[in-house]
Amino acid sequence: MRRILIVGGGYAGFYAAWKLEQKLRRGEAEVTLVDPRPYLTYQPFLPEVVAGSVEARHAAVSLRRHLRRTRVVAGKVTAIDHGHHVVTVQPADGEAFERSYDQIVVTAGAVTRTLPVPGIADQAIGLKHVEEAVAIRDRLLTAFDRAAALPAGPQRRKLLTVTFVGGGFSGVEGFGELLSLATALLKRYPELHRDELRFHLVEASGRILPEVTDRPGRWVVRELERRGGHVHLNTLVTSAKNGHVTLSTGEEFDSELIVWTAGNGANPVVGRHTDLPVDERGYLVVRPDLRVEGVAGAWAAGDDAAVPDLASPVPGARTVPNAQHAYRQGKLLARNIIATLRGREPRPYVHHSLGAIATLGLGRGIFQYRRLVIKGFPAWLMHRGYHVLAVPTWERKVRVLAVWLTQALFGRDILSLASVQHPRDAFVAAGLTVAGEARPGDQPAKGLASMPQV
């Protein structure tokens, strides 16, 4: 039986495994998927997780629940030796081990690209995983609680200052959604005032949202600034030590929350730990049919692959690394692998863009398809409609719709659960308090085991 190994459970990897399960004949091949996380993160929902419009668990799809005929291995692939058809897997616990294969599908995805800016590694949070989106939301809500108990001054001003670095889709959508949440929170905090909020979006280039044209991009900047945001174009963050942000323009301010969304980089296992061919950026070189160039038995798609864009009029263009391409490439991967197993020719990947769409906060959005531009509430509805259809599985679609309906009736939840990130703190603190207050002659507290039974 042929052994197909999928590296990475993101869009491309999940859909490749899902479709292979549906189309493979019994006994034709066995599929194994390796990923350190037990779920697919539906990244377009992360900005709404930040704002509390989508429950965190609903932005994730369980691999084991939905890939019932695929063997899921919880671990990180640290090296790919295609010459010997083996990968090295490092589980969370225990020693690394090797796993062999006949066909490999590399869909490891990209990683957050960081720059050597002082303080960023210590202060910033990314926006690529569910845990990060939850932490951003909880930090803002906690900051409001802390600020409301302080008098006006530098500390209160720092707590109410948020900085996003990066003006791509993740940065702009996260910025717009968090700004929408913060503005709505003011109704619950009469101690705070609208002019105390400071939201900064810093972008190194002269425009945001590179997937839309200049005019809609300028409208987005005006819309965010009209709502109180500060958009800094052609600007770099030069330092963020101890939350003190310094910009290349000379402006300085203290910021309690710093979110880094300044682009993606090649996954290290693809860029440095494989004998498969990669380009100068560290991405796998693939043919239009998603086979890795120059080798047999290797496929790649998604954010770690330089896939030729046959739909683009620009010679040598590569597909944009986004969900729209990744999940379609994953489905084509499955069909092409099965075609080669059965002696047929694989098909090239061709996809004409459906346009670019972004949420800018509750009830606000933008959509562009060629010259057609839709703004505001209609675009926001289109964004929600498209993504509830695109999120994998009917189970997740129903759960997301249920949350949206509940919020339409009762408003969004503003409860912070930041303490869950340190679940033992209360237990340890209680133990220390009891120990510190103990006096000679005190009787120890009786545990449940010593209580009388009734």
Side-chain angles (χ1 to χ4, degrees):
M1 185 183 296
R2 293 281 185 152
R3 297 162 300 170
I4 302 171
L5 178 70
I6 301 174
V7 180
Y11 304 110
F14 175 84
Y15 275 100
W18 205 14
K19 292 301 177 183
L20 282 169
E21 286 190 350
Q22 296 173 13
K23 297 180 179 298
L24 281 172
R25 298 168 185 152
R26 187 171 298 276
E28 188 172 16
E30 63 177 21
V31 182
T32 300
L33 186 149
V34 184
D35 195 284
R37 287 182 168 81
Y39 54 82
L40 155 72
T41 300
Y42 190 72
Q43 292 181 356
F45 275 159
L46 293 186
E48 296 207 52
V49 173
V50 166
S53 299
V54 171
E55 289 293 331
R57 285 184 174 85
H58 299 169
V61 179
S62 170
L63 298 179
R64 291 183 181 274
R65 175 170 183 171
H66 298 288
L67 300 179
R68 299 177 182 177
R69 294 170 53 197
T70 298
R71 180 172 183 179
V72 178
V73 177
K76 182 178 182 181
V77 172
T78 57
I80 301 172
D81 182 359
H82 192 63
H84 296 90
H85 280 218
V86 296
V87 299
T88 303
V89 180
Q90 177 61 63
D93 301 296
E95 297 182 356
F97 59 89
E98 290 187 344
R99 183 169 291 274
S100 59
Y101 60 84
D102 297 306
Q103 302 260 353
I104 189 169
V105 178
V106 185
T107 55
V111 296
T112 300
R113 182 186 63 194
T114 57
L115 301 177
V117 178
I120 285 296
D122 300 322
Q123 301 292 326
I125 303 176
L127 186 52
K128 199 171 183 63
H129 302 290
V130 173
E131 303 93 327
E132 295 170 325
V134 172
I136 291 168
R137 167 181 163 80
D138 284 344
R139 282 204 184 183
L140 179 77
L141 294 172
T142 302
F144 264 69
D145 285 330
R146 293 168 59 192
L150 293 173
Q155 183 59 29
R156 177 157 142 170
R157 188 161 53 248
K158 178 181 180 180
L159 288 167
L160 297 177
T161 300
V162 176
T163 306
F164 273 71
V165 185
F169 266 85
S170 293
V172 171
E173 290 190 316
F175 183 84
E177 287 286 355
L178 200 63
L179 178 59
S180 176
L181 173 61
T183 305
L185 284 175
L186 290 172
K187 294 184 294 184
R188 309 294 182 183
Y189 291 85
E191 306 92 338
L192 305 178
H193 305 287
R194 178 67 184 84
D195 56 5
E196 292 183 279
L197 289 182
R198 292 288 186 273
F199 271 67
H200 299 271
L201 175 62
V202 184
E203 167 56 38
S205 69
R207 51 171 298 178
I208 60 175
L209 295 179
E211 287 85 353
V212 304
T213 54
D214 290 344
R215 190 171 179 179
R218 290 194 295 268
W219 177 84
V220 172
V221 171
R222 292 195 302 271
E223 168 67 12
L224 294 175
E225 290 182 335
R226 182 186 65 81
R227 292 161 50 195
H230 303 274
V231 181
H232 307 264
L233 300 178
N234 297 308
T235 305
L236 298 171
V237 173
T238 58
S239 178
K241 287 185 177 180
N242 300 316
H244 184 76
V245 178
T246 304
L247 305 182
S248 57
T249 58
E251 186 174 352
E252 299 183 25
F253 50 86
D254 291 325
S255 182
E256 177 70 14
L257 177 58
I258 302 172
V259 183
W260 183 271
T261 62
N264 296 323
N267 192 300
V269 70
V270 173
R272 298 191 295 272
H273 301 291
T274 179
D275 55 353
L276 294 171
V278 297
D279 63 13
E280 66 283 355
R281 302 175 302 161
Y283 295 98
L284 288 168
V285 180
V286 301
R287 298 166 53 175
D289 59 13
L290 306 180
R291 286 183 287 188
V292 176
E293 187 68 58
V295 296
W299 308 76
D303 292 356
D304 61 8
V307 180
D309 189 353
L310 301 184
S312 172
V314 180
R318 299 288 185 263
T319 58
V320 178
N322 60 22
Q324 187 177 140
H325 285 296
Y327 92 88
R328 288 180 172 85
Q329 290 169 6
K331 292 192 289 187
L332 180 64
L333 265 174
R335 292 196 293 268
N336 281 353
I337 290 172
I338 292 172
T340 58
L341 291 177
R342 298 173 184 173
R344 301 196 304 267
E345 283 297 313
R347 296 171 51 192
Y349 176 74
V350 183
H351 172 65
H352 296 273
S353 174
L354 300 177
I357 191 165
T359 174
L360 304 176
L362 191 63
R364 303 173 178 88
I366 187 167
F367 168 79
Q368 181 177 16
Y369 176 70
R370 298 181 180 177
R371 292 189 175 184
L372 174 64
V373 178
I374 300 175
K375 307 170 185 175
F377 186 73
W380 176 78
L381 284 178
M382 292 172 64
H383 178 275
R384 286 206 159 181
Y386 172 78
H387 284 299
V388 80
L389 291 174
V391 67
T393 79
W394 279 101
E395 174 247 350
R396 277 297 180 259
K397 300 179 199 296
V398 172
R399 289 183 186 274
V400 171
L401 284 171
V403 172
W404 284 344
L405 177 60
T406 303
Q407 289 184 348
L409 295 173
F410 303 109
R412 53 182 152 195
D413 199 328
I414 62 169
L415 179 65
S416 169
L417 293 177
S419 59
V420 302
Q421 297 171 37
H422 307 281
R424 294 188 68 250
D425 283 359
F427 173 75
V428 172
L432 292 174
T433 300
V434 171
E437 293 178 353
R439 298 182 180 89
D442 282 353
Q443 295 297 317
K446 293 183 179 180
L448 292 178
S450 63
M451 294 179 66
Q453 300 298 312
V454 295

